């Protein structure tokens, strides 16, 4: 578990559109995101997840730079799963990332299409 926090200019942004917004409340408290393994161990990032009031989207959880809105995984994790889903066999992908599931369905909040597009840009 690694405690992290966004840089000041990345804080208090709408999780959907990224607009800077006033803080609403502390939300559900601290939250964890699954990150890439480190030294063979599962690694999670943990940070506060306050809510903000967006003029367009209402009260939403604030954005964090390391994960997409409403995702339980970091962008790096999503990119790795997307890469493996396109470059490796289904069984290898499921063995390496059991959270992906035997049907190779996406884990909650894992946007494979978005992650694949993002990995092509990076
Ligand atoms: Zn918004």
């Amino acid at each position: 578990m690694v405690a992290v926090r966004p840089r000041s200019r990345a804080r208090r942004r709408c999780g959907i559109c990224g607009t800077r917004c006033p803080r609403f409340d502390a939300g559900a408290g601290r939250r964890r995101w699954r990150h890439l393994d480190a030294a063979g161990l599962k690694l999670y990032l943990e940070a506060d997840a306050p809510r903000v009031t967006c003029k367009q989207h209402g009260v939403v959880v604030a954005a964090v730079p390391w994960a997409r809105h409403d995702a339980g995984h970091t962008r790096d994790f999503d990119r790795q799963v997307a890469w493996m889903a396109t470059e490796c066999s289904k069984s290898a992908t499921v063995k390496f990332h059991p959270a992906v599931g035997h049907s190779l369905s996406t884990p909650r909040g894992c946007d494979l299409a978005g992650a694949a597009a993002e990995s092509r840009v990076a």
Side-chain angles (χ1 to χ4, degrees):
M1 182 82 59
V2 175
V4 294
R5 65 179 183 180
R7 293 175 184 247
S8 61
R9 65 175 171 249
R11 290 183 199 146
R12 295 190 322 268
R13 294 195 175 271
C14 172
I16 298 170
C17 66
T19 304
R20 188 178 272 285
C21 308
R23 181 183 166 103
F24 181 74
D25 67 8
R30 294 187 69 77
R31 185 172 164 197
R32 288 193 287 175
W33 294 265
R34 176 80 160 85
H35 191 52
L36 299 174
D37 294 350
L41 301 172
K42 288 183 180 178
L43 180 63
Y44 292 88
L45 304 184
E46 184 180 75
D48 290 329
R51 295 191 298 174
V52 296
T53 306
C54 177
K55 288 181 181 174
Q56 185 178 357
H57 300 105
V59 177
V60 295
V61 176
V64 291
W66 54 84
R68 291 182 179 79
H69 183 66
D70 203 27
H73 308 88
T74 63
R75 291 176 188 271
D76 290 338
F77 185 92
D78 288 349
R79 276 193 288 264
Q80 186 179 63
V81 171
W83 181 84
M84 288 190 75
T86 58
E87 301 292 329
C88 300
S89 68
K90 179 179 165 184
S91 60
T93 304
V94 171
K95 189 172 184 178
F96 199 77
H97 291 293
V100 172
H102 294 289
S103 64
L104 202 56
S105 61
T106 59
R108 184 181 154 272
C110 183
D111 177 12
L112 291 182
E118 193 173 86
S119 66
R120 283 192 293 271
V121 173

